[in-house]
Amino acid sequence: MARRKKIYEGKAKTLYEGPEPGTIVQYFKDDATAFNAEKRDVIEGKGVLNNLLSEFFMQGLGQIGVPTHFLKRLNMREQLVRSCEIIPLEVIVRNYAAGSMSKRLGIEEGTQLPRPIVEYCYKDDALGDPLVTEEHIAAFGWASQQDMDDILSLALRVNDFLSGVMLAVGIRLVDFKIEIGRVYEGDFQRLVVADEISPDSCRLWDIETGQKLDKDVFRRDLGSLTDAYTEVARRLGVMPNNPPAPGKPTLVN
Ligand code: TMP
């Protein structure tokens, strides 16, 4: 069997050359890291759950006309995506204060923000992904003014979509991070939502109990990460192998 060419190995995913030019195979690993990989573990099944959940969110975004890099899921751990040039920014949207914003500004976690707040971090592990302003982004040429207008509008559309989808299953979207890629079509470039959307890159709290159903469970040692992600997948109807819901009749041969 021919060996595939590895393009990039990140903390949670590995990218391989795809079957056709302009495509990439994105493999979801079970590795979990936090605090710039100071804390790490292998959480069995995390990659499968994130692959299925990211497919679910990216497909939904596609259906409402938000362009993404997603093409199709290949198997339980891999999806085919369009190759794109990743803009070196982490685009964070916050609806409620939490995490680094709560720390930085002294706002209690869970406080609703007056409106969604969009932040940008420069993607550089060696620097710990520092918060930057649009001034930095323009001055250092990471993205143009037109790109920034498009990125803001994409980020807010993703926020409205994800907030609604999660609300429907009793989950509050506290905040999330996306990455944006450029794809070239002839003389034109288009921006697409890239990377992944999963409980690794969102904060998701149960609306009734406040229970955390995202990577904070790992960051803060709050219990089983697999149980938390499985609960998100179960509520959204996205389960590995579609096991029957408890209580439903099953066919007996
Ligand atoms: P923060 O509060 O730690 O800045 O995180 C904001 C959001 O971004 C949260 O949903 C988690 C997500 N995130 C990532 O996806 N990758 C990261 O490296 C970090 C620090 C946060």
Side-chain angles (χ1 to χ4, degrees):
M1 212 161 80
R3 204 179 162 83
R4 323 187 261 198
K5 189 171 163 211
K6 193 190 279 188
I7 298 174
Y8 176 80
E9 175 142 17
K11 285 177 285 205
K13 295 185 294 300
T14 306
L15 304 183
Y16 297 96
E17 213 167 61
E20 289 164 37
T23 64
I24 284 181
V25 174
Q26 189 164 262
Y27 176 97
F28 287 75
K29 301 194 282 186
D30 280 343
D31 301 27
T33 66
F35 315 117
N36 212 359
E38 265 175 45
K39 180 179 166 90
R40 49 171 75 234
D41 203 350
V42 176
I43 313 270
E44 209 187 321
K46 178 177 86 91
V48 169
L49 287 159
N50 280 355
N51 184 28
L52 296 173
L53 283 164
S54 202
E55 172 194 23
F56 176 80
F57 295 129
M58 294 284 185
Q59 262 183 346
L61 285 169
Q63 278 162 9
I64 62 159
V66 174
T68 79
H69 73 160
F70 181 83
L71 293 171
K72 66 172 177 183
R73 183 162 64 79
L74 297 171
N75 54 50
M76 294 307 269
R77 285 196 180 266
E78 295 177 324
Q79 48 185 246
L80 189 69
V81 300
R82 284 187 73 167
S83 156
C84 52
E85 193 181 288
I86 296 288
I87 295 179
L89 296 174
E90 301 210 326
V91 180
I92 295 168
V93 183
R94 300 181 187 269
N95 299 303
Y96 294 80
S100 68
M101 173 186 250
S102 286
K103 254 198 203 134
R104 203 180 326 118
L105 301 179
I107 307 174
E108 194 186 340
E109 287 208 314
T111 308
Q112 187 166 21
L113 300 170
R115 61 186 176 100
I117 295 179
V118 182
E119 294 176 348
Y120 305 99
C121 293
Y122 178 52
K123 250 174 83 69
D124 185 322
D125 280 344
L127 299 174
D129 301 335
L131 187 69
V132 291
T133 68
E134 290 191 54
E135 280 289 287
H136 297 99
I137 296 167
F140 296 122
W142 296 324
S144 67
Q145 189 52 57
Q146 178 65 55
D147 289 338
M148 291 313 290
D149 293 346
D150 293 347
I151 289 172
L152 181 63
S153 122
L154 279 174
L156 293 175
R157 288 194 71 193
V158 173
N159 186 43
D160 283 346
F161 170 77
L162 285 182
S163 293
V165 166
M166 299 315 300
L167 185 63
V169 296
I171 293 175
R172 167 166 301 148
L173 178 68
V174 172
D175 58 28
F176 66 94
K177 182 265 303 187
I178 50 171
E179 296 186 19
I180 304 292
R182 297 177 205 280
V183 291
Y184 294 97
E185 284 160 5
D187 288 344
F188 296 93
Q189 71 142 30
R190 216 152 60 94
L191 298 186
V192 300
V193 178
D195 190 52
E196 73 177 277
I197 299 177
S198 73
D200 266 13
S201 53
C202 300
R203 281 199 176 89
L204 305 170
W205 295 359
D206 181 84
I207 286 180
E208 296 288 319
T209 65
Q211 188 192 354
K212 293 181 175 38
L213 299 169
D214 57 67
K215 202 167 128 186
D216 273 349
V217 171
F218 170 72
R219 294 190 189 96
R220 304 180 187 190
D221 295 317
L222 299 176
S224 160
L225 194 72
T226 314
D227 287 357
Y229 288 21
T230 302
E231 177 62 13
V232 175
R234 189 191 64 76
R235 290 197 200 182
L236 293 169
V238 181
M239 279 300 290
N241 305 325
N242 277 330
K248 270 200 189 164
T250 48
L251 281 178
V252 180
N253 291 320

